[in-house]
């Protein structure tokens, strides 16, 4: 069987705020959905859901030599297919592990089909366990693992500790706050709209939340929300919020540096946290990636599915429809348009 | 027996660079060297060596409410006695643990005698173990424990790792470099003069060293000295050096934040390290104080005395003579005048 494939790519490297004109939908020549035994393609999958993540902006930038060392995944080349986390269905496979019609989760592409080359794919078979497929790239996928590993492994929380989460209605932040509540922490989140603040307090059980856009002085805002100081700061934004948090941290406080959305698109927003505070209060600032915590993946999955089944965790999802919506979904991340895990549904199962 | 006591104090809070005119030598009225059974003084000691440390500048500043939380030891009040680490000899004691003529180490004062109040002193009996008394406030005292705890407990070094130490000829830095060499790390230090650089390479066994004042671009200097990146950065200075180090760190690198001399006297020198580097390279930045590592004190002491006896560690000391020299000794710390552990010998045993 032959189809045409369509995929989203960038026209040029993207430095600064991404815009619609930076993206392009490419339609390929016809593509055979059966595998050539002598070819380099091992598996073809039909993409169902793809993840939309801020870190892609770093891969789209003009690369400097220091960035090349820093980036954990390859730079994105204009015109070429863009890989991304997602859920898909196997169309054809030469690998015994995957059969036609199997569901898989892992790195696929921002396209209708993904052609995965020998030895160059990260996929695993997916058992949906009765949950919607979309959950497996959000709350049960890399976002969930990022929240779980970052909070439990990096921050090592104890019951009763005071936890601050920035971008708290985002894909990772909302889960960190929910996990923190489940173990008896006091949790305050920051977000960028009244609606998001209400959601955090009313639906997700945060003890408190505030709209950072309405706070002219983040330092005193944090002092108000944490009169006894912050024990754990889960940082999704960097910049001024990180500076304000450091000043408000308690002794032996822990900061999980998960993302720096503010700096990804504007390097002048770089934070200058008070290092004397870091020294005297013996603060730990620890950068991490979900990949560092694959060792707790099975713990993460069983804990999270148990809580989901018990109705104690909410999956906060923000799903756009159709391949064409990928650019606007991605651009929206940098304007705070998403609430929860942003993803695009590319096709029905 | 009655004596007069003399001590050094500050005339006023010291904000910015300390100067001679900020200090004053005060001569007390006559002081009895025997204890009043009804009085509040439990021990009187005759001070022999006192430690001169940069962190005192923070205690001398005008205190803001956030500093009050941050400072691990009390603010210093103009006109009053200043406590400091040191070695002393007991003159009179009402505590069974300490007898007349015992040597002690701990918190005494920048004076000739220290009058220590009930329940308000941190002292232990000192067995010099054949080493000079001065060693017990430097290489075998808090500076040594800071280097040992910070390097081994915070940085968790492995043989062959690349270690960078700033202020490497300072009281703590020189020891970190020496410990690192002893376990087979590659060590480069930065210091502020040609003489110090030579000392690090020729006497202390550093693999390499450079004069930061001769490097217009610290980022490329570190790139030159660490073509394969830095695994561990022991930070004694903060500021631009911290920024340059973060960019040159390897994945999973560790930064021990020990001191921020540059910021103590000039808050505009605050570092803005790249948090995207921290995230992507999963760098840990950890503030610490020697007091956090009292649990390894006996390990520290036995390891360090063994190496000293074997001639594998050098005690780098910088001793001024006489109580009057305390202000200039202290001020000199902020001009890089000291080489190794700065202290003042107040009296002979």
């Amino acid at each position: 069987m032959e189809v045409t494939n369509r995929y989203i790519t960038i026209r040029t490297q993207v430095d600064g705020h991404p815009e619609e004109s930076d993206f392009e939908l490419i339609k390929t020549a016809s593509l055979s959905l059966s595998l050539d035994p002598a070819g380099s393609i091992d598996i073809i999958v039909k993409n169902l859901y793809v993840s939309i993540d801020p870190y892609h902006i770093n891969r789209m930038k003009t690369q400097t030599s220091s960035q090349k060392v820093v980036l954990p995944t390859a730079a994105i080349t204009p015109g070429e297919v863009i890989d991304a986390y997602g859920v898909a269905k196997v169309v054809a496979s030469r690998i015994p592990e995957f059969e036609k019609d199997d569901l898989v989760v892992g790195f696929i592409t921002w396209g209708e089909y993904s052609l995965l080359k020998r030895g160059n794919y990260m996929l695993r078979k997916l058992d949906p366990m009765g949950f919607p497929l979309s959950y497996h790239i959000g709350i049960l996928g890399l976002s969930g693992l990022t929240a779980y590993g970052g909070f439990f492994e990096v921050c090592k929380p104890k019951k009763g500790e005071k936890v601050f989460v920035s971008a708290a209605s985002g894909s990772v932040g909302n889960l960190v706050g929910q996990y923190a509540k489940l173990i008896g922490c006091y949790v305050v989140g920051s977000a960028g709209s009244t609606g998001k603040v209400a959601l955090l307090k009313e639906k997700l059980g945060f003890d408190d939340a505030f709209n950072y856009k309405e706070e002219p002085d983040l330092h005193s805002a944090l002092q108000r929300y944490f009169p006894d100081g912050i024990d754990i700061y889960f940082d999704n934004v960097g910049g001024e919020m990180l500076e304000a948090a450091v000043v408000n941290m308690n002794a032996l406080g822990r900061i999980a540096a998960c993302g720096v959305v503010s700096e990804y698109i504007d390097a002048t927003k770089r934070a200058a946290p008070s290092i004397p505070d870091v020294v005297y209060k013996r603060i730990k600032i620890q950068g991490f990636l979900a990949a560092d915590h694959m060792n707790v993946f099975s713990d993460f999955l069983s804990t999270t599915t148990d809580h989901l089944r018990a109705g104690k965790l909410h999956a906060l999802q923000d799903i756009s429809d159709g391949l064409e919506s990928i650019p606007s979904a991605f651009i929206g991340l940098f304007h705070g348009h998403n609430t929860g895990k942003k993803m695009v549904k590319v096709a029905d199962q």
Side-chain angles (χ1 to χ4, degrees), chain A:
Chain A
M1 183 187 159
E2 301 225 328
V3 297
T4 50
N5 189 20
R6 296 188 310 151
Y7 64 90
I8 300 292
T9 187
I10 49 172
R11 285 180 208 273
T12 175
Q13 306 299 162
V14 183
D15 297 300
H17 257 286
E19 292 175 15
E20 287 277 354
S21 58
D22 293 324
F23 297 90
E24 188 173 13
L25 192 156
I26 291 188
K27 203 168 180 171
T28 63
S30 73
L31 162 77
S32 167
L33 291 185
S34 52
L35 289 168
D36 174 359
S40 66
I41 304 300
D42 263 359
I43 315 170
I44 299 176
V45 301
K46 182 184 172 195
N47 304 330
L48 304 176
Y49 288 91
V50 294
S51 180
I52 308 293
D53 299 293
Y55 78 88
H56 267 66
I57 194 70
N58 293 320
R59 302 181 54 204
M60 293 175 185
K61 286 178 188 165
T62 309
Q63 305 293 300
T64 64
S65 59
S66 88
Q67 275 173 317
K68 275 176 199 153
V69 179
V70 172
L71 292 174
T73 45
I76 292 169
T77 308
E80 294 196 0
V81 162
I82 296 172
D83 58 286
Y85 200 67
V87 170
K89 192 171 193 172
V90 176
V91 173
S93 165
R94 295 195 306 196
I95 308 290
E97 194 185 343
F98 302 110
E99 292 183 10
K100 188 169 184 313
D101 293 333
D102 277 351
L103 289 168
V104 292
V105 61
F107 284 89
I108 55 174
T109 61
W110 279 359
E112 289 176 315
Y113 293 91
S114 307
L115 286 69
L116 302 169
K117 286 189 183 166
R118 184 183 307 263
N120 197 21
Y121 52 84
M122 286 174 66
L123 281 185
R124 64 181 174 82
K125 250 172 104 159
L126 175 64
D127 170 7
M129 298 179 289
F131 295 105
L133 292 184
S134 59
Y135 280 30
H136 296 278
I137 60 173
I139 192 168
L140 299 175
L142 278 191
S143 305
L145 181 62
T146 302
Y148 189 91
F151 185 59
F152 291 107
E153 299 292 303
V154 174
C155 301
K156 300 202 185 302
K158 290 185 284 289
K159 188 177 169 177
E161 285 196 311
K162 313 279 187 291
V163 177
F164 174 51
V165 187
S166 56
S169 68
S171 61
V172 173
N174 89 84
L175 287 172
V176 171
Q178 292 189 74
Y179 284 132
K181 283 309 302 170
L182 283 169
I183 63 159
C185 291
Y186 178 83
V187 185
V188 178
S190 66
S193 76
T194 316
K196 288 176 178 177
V197 166
L199 177 85
L200 295 174
K201 294 201 279 191
E202 287 154 27
K203 185 167 173 189
L204 300 186
F206 281 55
D207 294 288
D208 218 330
F210 65 93
N211 180 350
Y212 70 90
K213 292 177 181 167
E214 291 174 355
E215 296 290 348
D217 177 351
L218 294 174
H219 176 173
S220 53
L222 288 178
Q223 223 163 14
R224 211 163 66 238
Y225 286 99
F226 293 96
D228 301 323
I230 301 168
D231 298 306
I232 290 173
Y233 172 39
F234 197 98
D235 183 16
N236 291 305
V237 301
E240 283 176 27
M241 193 68 96
L242 175 57
E243 293 177 12
V246 163
V247 175
N248 283 284
M249 293 300 285
N250 286 328
L252 304 176
R254 290 133 274 157
I255 297 177
C258 178
V260 204
V261 173
S262 65
E263 272 190 55
Y264 289 166
I265 46 172
D266 183 356
T268 65
K269 299 228 165 150
R270 184 174 277 193
S274 161
I275 304 294
D277 280 71
V278 170
V279 174
Y280 279 114
K281 297 193 289 197
R282 296 96 95 203
I283 294 170
K284 177 175 83 166
I285 302 176
Q286 170 81 64
F288 75 100
L289 299 172
D292 298 332
H293 299 290
M294 287 309 297
N295 59 316
V296 297
F297 188 80
S298 61
D299 286 349
F300 150 67
L301 207 58
S302 65
T303 304
T304 307
T305 51
D306 285 353
H307 286 315
L308 274 172
R309 290 199 180 95
K312 291 180 175 171
L313 270 178
H314 298 275
L316 201 62
Q317 308 191 108
D318 189 332
I319 307 181
S320 300
D321 211 48
L323 187 73
E324 299 80 358
S325 67
I326 287 179
S328 64
F330 180 68
I331 292 162
L333 292 176
F334 302 95
H335 297 280
H337 291 170
N338 61 307
T339 301
K341 176 65 190 174
K342 187 69 203 174
M343 54 190 112
V344 169
K345 182 178 178 183
V346 178
D348 279 315
Q349 199 173 330

